Amino acid sequence: MSLSYDDVDFGAELPPTAPDVTLGNVRRFTAASGMTFGRFHDHEEARKEGLPGAIVPGIMSQGMLVALIHRWAPRAVVRKIDTIFRAPILVDSHPVARGVVTDKNDETRTIEIDLTIQNEAKETRVVGTATVELP
Amino acid sequence: MEIDVETLKRDWTGFTFDTAEFEVHAADLVGFAGACGEVAPRYTDPSDPDFQAVPNYTARYVGRRVLPDNFPRLGGGYGFDAGKCVTPLAPIRPGDKITARSQIHDVYTKTGRSGTMLFIVHRMEFSNQRGEPVSVVDWRMVQQDRGAR
């Protein structure tokens, strides 16, 4: 059964996800999005730029947060998503995406969700907010 | 070099400095969505009757120019991508021809432990082949500025 607006409480936590940021999957993303910079899909190229290794594109991080929302509420319509790229997520690392409902608007049947992606060291690398309409 | 933010805003915001066109392909929509871990069939399955781009798909597009011609070089600091805000307005589907119009939407500063950061908000407004608005993307570019006021 799909989640509806009335099912959601203020403070509800979305089930965390473990996005796939293996090199192979990031290469799939860069191929589909036309992001050809070596720092996204080649560890050596990234190191030449002074990075510790290849990094996940910011917009892929944003897409992972959109996917987090749809995995929780498949019929949700994302009306707006704003993400801040605080620090890079490394390719081949093990990040976790999380979300929590911070507001509800009965008139528009929309909710606000605070979003984060943390790395293995529990450092928050990406933060964001989304406005989401639910049926 | 001292940078006057109000002058930058007055002189450089609010006009289109670049226009670019893009064609939307089903394989790219599937690849983008799948790599991000999307599971909703309307984003992952081209046979779904409502198949469309994921909400932040337009964030992948870059115009021919990031800044207007002759936009001042700012402060000599380094620059980086600080974030993106995407507002989807209508579905984007395979075969759509998308036009993107770029403008500098805002210029502002924030001061923190590492000094004053200059934010340039590059706005891209996307419309489809019928002229319908489909998405707005605000891209926040940051320069660590040594003379913003």
Side-chain angles (χ1 to χ4, degrees):
Chain A
M1 190 184 80
S2 187
L3 207 64
S4 76
Y5 178 82
D6 297 323
D7 298 327
V8 176
D9 293 324
F10 176 84
E13 293 185 9
L14 284 61
T17 61
D20 178 356
V21 297
T22 56
L23 191 58
N25 194 48
V26 173
R27 284 178 172 165
R28 180 186 184 198
F29 180 83
T30 58
S33 61
M35 303 186 78
T36 56
F37 301 108
R39 62 179 174 271
F40 295 134
H41 53 74
D42 185 315
H43 287 302
E44 282 307 311
E45 288 290 319
R47 289 184 188 115
K48 285 177 189 169
E49 294 187 34
L51 295 162
I55 60 173
V56 177
I59 63 168
M60 184 175 177
S61 305
Q62 189 178 56
M64 294 179 325
L65 292 169
V66 171
L68 168 78
I69 295 167
H70 288 143
R71 282 170 180 255
W72 172 65
R75 292 165 62 203
V77 177
V78 175
R79 295 297 183 199
K80 185 176 188 177
I81 180 160
D82 192 357
T83 49
I84 297 169
F85 309 132
R86 280 187 179 174
I89 296 170
L90 295 178
V91 170
D92 291 327
S93 66
H94 301 282
V96 175
R98 292 185 173 85
V100 59
V101 176
T102 57
D103 202 3
K104 292 187 72 175
N105 184 323
D106 293 342
E107 196 171 311
T108 58
R109 296 180 72 80
T110 57
I111 59 172
E112 300 292 317
I113 305 174
D114 277 3
L115 301 159
T116 59
I117 300 178
Q118 290 184 322
N119 64 11
E120 299 94 322
K122 310 281 187 202
E123 297 165 335
T124 300
R125 313 299 268 184
V126 179
V127 297
T129 56
T131 303
V132 175
E133 184 178 333
L134 293 171
Chain B
M1 176 183 174
E2 190 168 271
I3 297 162
D4 184 331
V5 172
E6 289 308 313
T7 301
L8 276 179
K9 286 176 70 169
R10 184 194 67 206
D11 292 346
W12 295 99
T13 60
F15 63 89
T16 299
F17 67 85
D18 185 50
T19 301
E21 294 188 351
F22 307 96
E23 188 164 343
V24 179
H25 302 285
D28 292 340
L29 301 186
V30 172
F32 189 113
C36 290
E38 188 60 68
V39 292
R42 67 185 186 277
Y43 303 118
T44 61
D45 181 0
S47 69
D48 187 282
D50 194 28
F51 181 61
Q52 59 186 276
V54 292
N56 72 318
Y57 186 76
T58 49
R60 63 162 288 198
Y61 291 126
V62 179
R64 294 171 302 170
R65 287 178 292 171
V66 172
L67 292 167
D69 286 343
N70 302 318
F71 190 85
R73 288 177 60 86
L74 299 171
Y78 58 84
F80 57 90
D81 181 357
K84 286 191 171 67
C85 179
V86 182
T87 306
L89 301 172
I92 295 172
R93 304 190 193 276
D96 280 356
K97 291 181 175 58
I98 303 297
T99 300
R101 294 177 178 81
S102 296
Q103 61 174 272
I104 302 301
H105 176 66
D106 198 6
V107 182
Y108 59 93
T109 58
K110 284 186 179 178
T111 300
R113 284 175 296 182
S114 54
T116 298
M117 312 291 278
L118 181 73
F119 287 72
I120 301 169
V121 182
H122 174 152
R123 173 167 287 184
M124 291 183 83
E125 295 178 325
F126 295 86
S127 56
N128 63 18
Q129 63 277 14
R130 293 179 296 279
E132 300 160 344
V134 292
S135 181
V136 177
V137 178
D138 283 347
W139 171 25
R140 292 182 293 274
M141 296 179 285
V142 176
Q143 297 270 331
Q144 186 164 32
D145 177 59
R146 297 177 181 130
R149 63 182 164 85

